[in-house]
Amino acid sequence: MPAEPQKGFRIGVLVSGSGSNLQSIIDRLHLSDSPVEVAVVLSDNPDAYGLKRAAAAGISSAVFPMGDYPDRSQHDLAMADDLKRHGVELVVLAGYMLIVTPAFLERFPRRVINLHPSLLPAFPGATAIEDAFRCGVRVTGVTVHFVDEGVDTGPVILQEAVAIDPGDALEDLTARIHETEHRLLPEAIALIAAGRVQADGENFHRIVIK
Ligand code: GRF
């Protein structure tokens, strides 16, 4: 009989929508012999399809609508409490559309990562794939980075380039970006779980993979 996977590195995943990246984390890490276990999925949006994906995999989830809290910090602190209750060591923003507050980051110092569909610092913001396509660049890509107090500014963990071919429609590029995301985000999480993602000496902005 195959040995049961040795789990132990507990992550919390925050989603706002479809959750296709959550699904790739579930398939490639949670359900494999990786040490990574999705302890809980949180969303600001009660209709997020990602919540159904969590339920289908038997993963607990909870919804934190922004309107239920007096301000963003209170909202984020309630989420942080829930993540801590689930013993989460790493928070993964996978298509989470709200900006997390400094109060939240203080609860998980250098333990919050985000996925972004461009080669940062090019094309930050919510429409990165379209922005790169319309700008006419020949290469864009995907970034996984630590979250800091800026928007799409934190230290880069992994990046992968995606070429834009002259004959591409926006849909072609979008599909290739998503395929790349579905590989790169689980890879970054696995590297962090293995303790291989470290700051380069005194330079906290430069990450090295050991
Ligand atoms: C991804 O393209 C991610 O880069 C961006 O939001 C999208 C989320 O997709 N931040 P999904 O919800 O994981 O399908």
Side-chain angles (χ1 to χ4, degrees):
M1 222 170 76
E4 279 287 302
Q6 289 294 306
K7 294 293 178 184
F9 190 83
R10 295 171 70 80
I11 68 171
V13 183
L14 273 53
V15 299
S16 295
S18 137
S20 67
N21 285 284
L22 166 66
Q23 190 66 56
S24 91
I25 294 168
I26 292 172
D27 295 343
R28 291 170 190 243
L29 300 175
H30 184 82
L31 296 176
S32 80
D33 59 3
S34 134
V36 175
E37 178 177 359
V38 181
V40 66
V41 171
L42 304 186
S43 182
D44 57 307
N45 171 13
D47 300 323
Y49 188 68
L51 294 167
K52 293 200 168 60
R53 296 183 192 269
I59 298 167
S60 358
S61 65
V63 183
F64 290 82
M66 188 62 91
D68 288 3
Y69 297 87
D71 59 40
R72 289 173 53 222
S73 294
Q74 305 278 336
H75 170 264
D76 282 12
L77 288 174
M79 284 202 311
D81 285 345
D82 198 70
L83 292 162
K84 291 281 183 191
R85 259 198 307 280
H86 283 89
V88 161
E89 293 177 64
L90 178 73
V91 180
V92 178
L93 310 185
Y96 182 66
M97 298 315 283
L98 303 180
I99 292 166
V100 293
T101 53
F104 184 86
L105 295 175
E106 274 168 28
R107 300 288 301 278
F108 293 96
R110 274 180 105 74
R111 284 283 156 183
V112 183
I113 67 171
N114 183 45
L115 172 69
H116 185 80
S118 76
L119 292 179
L120 290 171
F123 308 112
T127 54
I129 303 176
E130 294 91 310
D131 294 348
F133 184 78
R134 300 206 194 290
C135 176
V137 292
R138 299 293 194 271
V139 178
T140 182
V142 173
T143 302
V144 182
H145 65 95
F146 284 111
V147 176
D148 66 7
E149 295 187 4
V151 176
D152 300 330
T153 52
V156 170
I157 302 165
L158 290 180
Q159 285 187 311
E160 188 172 314
V162 173
I164 305 179
D165 298 325
D168 276 344
L170 177 58
E171 296 68 38
D172 302 320
L173 175 62
T174 302
R176 285 210 300 285
I177 292 276
H178 289 324
E179 268 168 38
T180 308
E181 288 185 324
H182 295 162
R183 265 187 299 102
L184 208 65
L185 182 58
E187 188 183 333
I189 296 167
L191 287 167
I192 293 170
R196 294 181 54 199
V197 174
Q198 293 168 18
D200 182 19
E202 297 297 297
N203 181 356
F204 286 118
H205 208 81
R206 188 165 183 282
I207 297 296
V208 288
I209 310 294
K210 300 277 184 187

